[in-house]
Amino acid sequence: MMVEKIVNIFKDRFGSNPLVFRAPGRVNLIGEHTDYNNGFVMPAAINRYAYFAIKPNRLGMYRFHAADFGRDFTTPVYKIEPSSSPWANYLLGIIAQMVADGKDVPGFDCVFGGDVPIGAGMSSSAAIESGLAFALNHIFGFGYSRMQLAKIAQQAEHQYAGVKCGIMDQFASLHGKENQALQLDCRSLEFEPVELNMDNLSIILVNTGVKHSLASSEYNKRRQECQIGVNILKKHNSSIQSLRDVTLNDLNNHKNEFDNKVWDRCSYVIEENQRVINAGRALNQKDFMTFGKLMYQSHYGLRDRYEVSCPELDKLVEITERLDYVIGSRMMGGGFGGCAINLVENSHIDEFIQIITNNYKTPDGHKPQIIACVIGNGAEHLVY
Ligand code: GLA
């Protein structure tokens, strides 16, 4: 539907046939706030996408139309700079990165839209960044690898959206594979597939309905707190570059030099990295019970020590604690709102939805949005 919609809008506005691309949002099974600490994450791309209809225009202009909210943004190619329009920045940031890398990015027309919920922790912004990066690489033949595109998209987010994010979301949007999560080592950027043959289990997201507005400032602050911890430990061991190089022993040996909060942040990250490794092993052995316990532990760490949860996310996780058929549950993504991710037995999904809707209302008094995720492929060119 979305493809037809954006293609029709494109034809109406620009009078020709575009190429069509899409890039997905993501879930993260485990490994939160570890990516920018050079640690491990385990995301998977989902069947929610940002779609792009796009074509070079030979006019020396970039002309964008946001189909979901009916807005336009046009700029001459020589004038790439951050805009006061937040949505345009995700797009301009990509062009700016490619230009900074020495590419000539000629004018083009672009209509885009999508169904990744915004502000839900499902990486709608990474889907837009990754989708445009993938599309431009294709239409202008730049020859970037998917990993290079993920880095470009991450830099766009840093410089044009002001969030010093890690690479997880853009990586997942570009590398996702059907039925697989990807265990990524954010230091080496090597990754391994984790088959999600979960037989009788489903990944179900529940959206708190709280948009994570605090997220960018608190997010950047957590990043700084981790860096403070690294700086303390570096004085004792100059080979330490990030929390990835630190053990709990190192941390405990120097506990008296740490502010309590900084110690909490660092110990959470070190433990979460270990949980990702344990989770990968558990999933490969189809030991879902162990995996589920790790999800809960991840949540409690994010809630109590990393302090990026919120009462609504905590409530959603708490509701599941007494439901035997929920194998695991935790907040997902940057935090301060967005979704909880749950692993639920298929035979009890209806009951799960019933209990959640009876016990949780969004801040504006509505039923929460509940999304059953299908794990799909990363960015692609669509033939329509
Ligand atoms: C956001 C960021 C990611 C990652 C998560 C937390 O989604 O974009 O890079 O840090 O938060 O795990």
Side-chain angles (χ1 to χ4, degrees):
M1 295 310 103
M2 187 53 90
V3 173
E4 267 168 43
K5 179 177 162 188
I6 61 166
V7 168
N8 287 336
I9 296 178
F10 191 99
K11 287 181 183 165
D12 282 353
R13 300 181 83 85
F14 303 120
S16 62
N17 291 327
L19 294 183
V20 176
F21 300 85
R22 72 176 182 191
R26 60 105 189 89
V27 289
N28 185 24
L29 298 186
I30 196 159
E32 222 63 90
H33 288 272
T34 43
D35 59 354
Y36 54 83
N37 287 302
N38 274 347
F40 297 100
V41 291
M42 202 189 287
I46 55 172
N47 58 335
R48 297 275 181 141
Y49 304 91
Y51 294 87
F52 292 81
I54 190 163
K55 192 175 185 188
N57 63 17
R58 297 167 196 271
L59 296 173
M61 303 283 283
Y62 303 125
R63 300 191 295 185
F64 293 106
H65 178 76
D68 296 337
F69 37 97
R71 291 276 173 79
D72 293 299
F73 186 91
T74 297
T75 183
V77 296
Y78 56 82
K79 200 160 175 273
I80 286 297
E81 58 192 21
S83 138
S84 56
S85 156
W87 64 266
N89 278 333
Y90 296 116
L91 306 164
L92 296 171
I94 295 295
I95 302 173
Q97 286 306 312
M98 291 181 167
V99 170
D101 189 43
K103 299 286 189 263
D104 173 26
V105 184
F108 60 85
D109 297 326
C110 172
V111 176
F112 75 101
D115 58 8
V116 188
I118 293 174
M122 294 163 70
S123 298
S124 55
S125 60
I128 291 175
E129 292 152 355
S130 306
L132 182 67
F134 186 85
L136 295 181
N137 193 43
H138 185 107
I139 62 174
F140 296 125
F142 292 146
Y144 288 119
S145 68
R146 284 180 185 257
M147 195 60 90
Q148 285 172 319
L149 292 174
K151 289 183 189 170
I152 285 172
Q154 180 196 17
Q155 284 308 314
E157 178 93 22
H158 283 200
Q159 295 185 15
Y160 273 64
V163 181
K164 300 272 179 214
C165 64
I167 199 157
M168 169 169 76
D169 305 347
Q170 294 80 4
F171 161 80
S173 186
L174 282 149
H175 294 80
K177 284 269 171 321
E178 239 174 63
N179 257 332
Q180 290 179 351
L182 302 169
Q183 187 173 324
L184 172 70
D185 177 338
C186 299
R187 182 166 65 185
S188 66
L189 295 182
E190 282 166 8
F191 58 98
E192 291 166 19
V194 180
E195 296 295 332
L196 293 179
N197 296 323
M198 299 199 294
D199 311 335
N200 58 339
L201 299 173
S202 292
I203 296 171
I204 313 263
L205 302 182
V206 182
N207 190 347
T208 55
V210 178
K211 296 230 166 143
H212 49 173
S213 57
L214 248 180
S216 55
S217 59
E218 286 294 320
Y219 186 94
N220 292 345
K221 193 163 150 204
R222 291 297 174 284
R223 216 181 152 127
Q224 285 163 7
E225 288 167 334
C226 293
Q227 191 56 47
I228 293 173
V230 169
N231 291 345
I232 294 172
L233 295 166
K234 229 183 193 164
K235 284 193 244 152
H236 302 281
N237 176 352
S238 59
S239 70
I240 290 175
Q241 299 293 316
S242 67
L243 287 178
R244 170 65 180 284
D245 309 318
V246 176
T247 63
L248 277 182
N249 267 345
D250 297 331
L251 209 57
N252 285 325
N253 288 340
H254 300 285
K255 193 165 182 178
N256 57 346
E257 296 165 53
F258 276 74
D259 165 280
N260 283 345
K261 289 261 180 253
V262 172
W263 192 86
D264 280 350
R265 309 298 190 235
C266 295
S267 62
Y268 159 78
V269 170
I270 295 168
E271 288 181 9
E272 181 78 348
N273 276 333
Q274 189 57 47
R275 277 191 285 269
V276 179
I277 294 169
N278 297 348
R281 202 173 300 139
L283 282 175
N284 284 328
Q285 294 168 352
K286 292 194 157 213
D287 177 359
F288 300 119
M289 288 302 165
T290 299
F291 176 67
K293 285 192 190 123
L294 292 164
M295 288 177 77
Y296 279 109
Q297 286 168 12
S298 168
H299 182 76
Y300 303 140
L302 288 158
R303 180 189 67 189
D304 302 334
R305 281 197 277 147
Y306 215 67
E307 294 184 283
V308 290
S309 186
C310 62
E312 293 83 356
L313 284 165
D314 293 341
K315 168 121 200 244
L316 284 175
V317 172
E318 199 187 301
I319 295 170
T320 70
E321 283 166 355
R322 56 192 152 83
L323 307 176
D324 291 344
Y325 52 83
V326 178
I327 310 301
S329 177
R330 58 179 208 84
M331 59 152 275
M332 186 181 78
F336 302 103
C339 289
I341 176 170
N342 304 276
L343 201 56
V344 184
E345 285 178 8
N346 290 341
S347 50
H348 287 83
I349 291 179
D350 291 344
E351 198 178 331
F352 173 74
I353 293 175
Q354 197 62 52
I355 292 201
I356 295 288
T357 28
N358 287 346
N359 289 282
Y360 182 85
K361 295 274 173 293
T362 62
D364 53 5
H366 293 111
K367 285 185 190 169
Q369 181 186 26
I370 298 183
I371 303 173
C373 293
V374 177
I375 304 303
N377 287 326
E380 58 193 338
H381 173 209
L382 295 180
V383 180
Y384 62 96

